[in-house]
Amino acid sequence: MARKKALITGITGQDGSYLAEFLLEQGYEVIGMVRRTSTINFDRIRHIQDKITLVQGDLLDQMSLVDILREHRPQEVYNLAAQSFVPTSWKQPVLTGEFTALGVTRMLEAVRIVDPEIRFYQASSSEMFGKVCEVPQNEKTPFYPRSPYGVAKVYAHWITVNYRESYNLFACSGILFNHESPRRGLEFVTHKVTYGAARIKLGLDHELRLGNLDARRDWGYAGDYVQAMWLMLQQDEPDDYVIATGRTHSVRELCEIAFGYLGLDWQKYVVSDPQFMRPAEVDLLVGDASKAHAKLGWEPTYTFEQLIKMMVDADMQALQGNKR
C-alpha cells in the first residue's frame, strides 16, 4: 500500500517542524513548501531534511500552489504558512492580509481545482477572539479581532468554512490558542522571556524589556497541538475545533517561573516598556477544548510550568554552547 502524502506550508516554522516529525512517525511521505528566497532558515527541520521533500511555492502565487498539488498529489494539506507575528501585522497590515487571509483562499482554490478530495487543515488562531465576548472561548464564541493579524485570520477561517459548505471540501480549522516550544521564534514573548532569563543568568545581559505584564494567555506545548491538527483530518466529517489547555497565565507568571527556575528574582531584571505595548491589547484568552477532548480524544500532555522549564533548559544549553 502506497504511503499517504501530506503537504505542509510553513514547514520551516515551529508548528511545521513538529508536524513534519509527527507525520513521518505515522509513516507519511512529507512534502514541505518553502518560498524562493535566499534567507530561508532550515534550523528547525535540519535533523529531518533528508527524510522530507522540499518544494518551492508561495501563497502569493496561485499557479505555484496548483503546480505543487498537481505534481505531488497529496491526500492532506496543512496550511501553516502565514505572517504570524501580531506586532508585525501593525507595521505591515496589507502584506499580512495577502499572506494570512488571501493566501488561504489561493490554497483552497488550488485544492478545488486540482483535487477536491484533498483533506485541508487551516491554522486558525485564538487571536480571532481578541476583545473576548465570553470566557472561556469555544467554537461558538463570536470573533472580535484586535489586530490586522487577527482580522486576517478571521477572513481565513470563514473562507475555509465557505469552501467546505459551498464545494463540499473536507476543510477543517483548528482554532489554536498560544502554543510554544524551544523552537518558538525569539520575537514571541514566551521565548523572549526564557531566552532573556538565560542570558541574564549567564551574565550576558542585565535587564529584559517587555510590554504588558498583565496580559493573560492560554499557553500549551506545540508538540501536543500538531497532533490535534492531524486528528482533525482523520475524522469522518470535517469540523472546526478549539485547541487549548483551558488554563490561563499572565506574562508576570511567565517571568516568575522562568527566572525562578534559574534562581533569579524576575523583578530585579524585568522592565515594562511602553514601546512593546500593542495599539489594541488582547487581555484575556483562555480556551474551552471540550469538543476536541470528546470528538478527537485529544488532551494536552505538558503543563505550563513544564513547558517554560523545557524552554529555559534549551536556551541555557544553546547559550552555553555558544559561549564555549
Side-chain angles (χ1 to χ4, degrees):
M1 184 175 168
R3 287 197 297 164
K4 260 184 160 179
K5 279 188 191 178
L7 171 68
I8 303 173
T9 73
I11 194 168
T12 59
Q14 169 190 256
D15 292 8
S17 66
Y18 279 110
L19 179 61
E21 281 179 349
F22 177 77
L23 292 178
L24 288 171
E25 288 167 6
Q26 307 308 307
Y28 277 68
E29 183 178 337
V30 176
I31 299 119
M33 190 179 91
V34 295
R35 298 178 69 205
R36 188 189 294 275
T37 168
S38 59
T39 57
I40 298 173
N41 184 347
F42 291 110
D43 286 351
R44 295 184 182 98
I45 58 168
R46 207 171 297 285
H47 62 296
I48 54 170
Q49 209 167 325
D50 60 338
K51 299 175 183 170
I52 60 182
T53 302
L54 293 177
V55 295
Q56 292 186 332
D58 199 314
L59 289 179
L60 302 186
D61 177 19
Q62 176 85 59
M63 280 313 298
S64 71
L65 306 179
V66 169
D67 289 344
I68 288 170
L69 295 183
R70 279 186 176 147
E71 181 177 351
H72 295 279
R73 295 286 170 177
Q75 286 86 32
E76 297 173 2
V77 170
Y78 296 86
N79 186 49
L80 310 185
Q83 191 302 100
S84 60
F85 189 46
V86 173
T88 298
S89 77
W90 287 105
K91 294 178 179 175
Q92 296 181 302
V94 175
L95 186 67
T96 298
E98 284 287 352
F99 274 115
T100 308
L102 291 178
V104 181
T105 315
R106 294 184 189 103
M107 181 57 87
L108 282 164
E109 188 66 2
V111 168
R112 185 186 72 81
I113 291 167
V114 175
D115 181 5
E117 295 302 308
I118 290 173
R119 295 192 167 203
F120 177 84
Y121 172 83
Q122 166 57 19
S124 284
S125 167
S126 60
E127 289 285 335
M128 301 188 305
F129 296 121
K131 188 175 180 179
V132 296
C133 302
E134 62 185 18
V135 178
Q137 296 89 50
N138 62 33
E139 293 81 4
K140 294 189 167 123
T141 302
F143 299 138
Y144 194 145
R146 298 272 279 171
S147 67
Y149 170 78
V151 171
K153 280 291 187 182
V154 169
Y155 174 97
H157 180 86
W158 282 117
I159 200 68
T160 301
V161 171
N162 272 257
Y163 268 70
R164 177 169 74 218
E165 295 178 351
S166 302
Y167 300 117
N168 201 30
L169 297 186
F170 194 107
C172 302
S173 283
I175 307 172
L176 271 56
F177 280 64
N178 296 64
H179 46 289
E180 318 298 319
S181 75
R183 300 180 193 172
R184 190 55 140 159
L186 280 171
E187 67 272 24
F188 291 87
V189 70
T190 44
H191 205 176
K192 186 176 179 181
V193 168
T194 61
Y195 186 74
R199 285 185 62 85
I200 288 168
K201 178 67 175 178
L202 294 171
L204 300 172
D205 273 329
H206 63 277
E207 72 171 18
L208 175 63
R209 304 186 83 82
L210 299 172
N212 181 9
L213 300 179
D214 296 316
R216 302 184 69 86
R217 295 290 184 274
D218 183 330
W219 278 298
Y221 172 51
D224 288 340
Y225 285 38
V226 299
Q227 296 187 30
M229 301 175 186
W230 176 76
L231 285 167
M232 288 177 211
L233 297 197
Q234 311 316 307
Q235 304 307 302
D236 293 333
E237 298 293 333
D239 208 346
D240 306 322
Y241 298 87
V242 163
I243 304 298
T245 70
R247 297 176 182 273
T248 183
H249 303 274
S250 67
V251 176
R252 196 180 304 275
E253 289 175 71
L254 165 61
C255 293
E256 286 173 3
I257 293 170
F259 281 82
Y261 184 46
L262 294 173
L264 300 171
D265 178 359
W266 71 275
Q267 295 180 86
K268 292 180 180 176
Y269 305 101
V270 174
V271 178
S272 186
D273 187 334
Q275 74 165 311
F276 295 115
M277 301 288 187
R278 293 185 184 183
E281 183 56 85
V282 174
D283 295 312
L284 174 61
L285 290 173
V286 56
D288 172 9
S290 53
K291 180 177 170 183
H293 301 330
K295 292 196 170 183
L296 305 179
W298 178 85
E299 296 279 352
T301 63
Y302 278 80
T303 67
F304 178 64
E305 192 164 340
Q306 288 171 327
L307 169 64
I308 299 309
K309 289 179 176 178
M310 177 207 307
M311 294 175 68
V312 170
D313 284 338
D315 287 329
M316 285 293 289
Q317 187 177 354
L319 286 165
Q320 285 168 329
N322 289 343
K323 279 182 84 174
R324 281 198 294 272

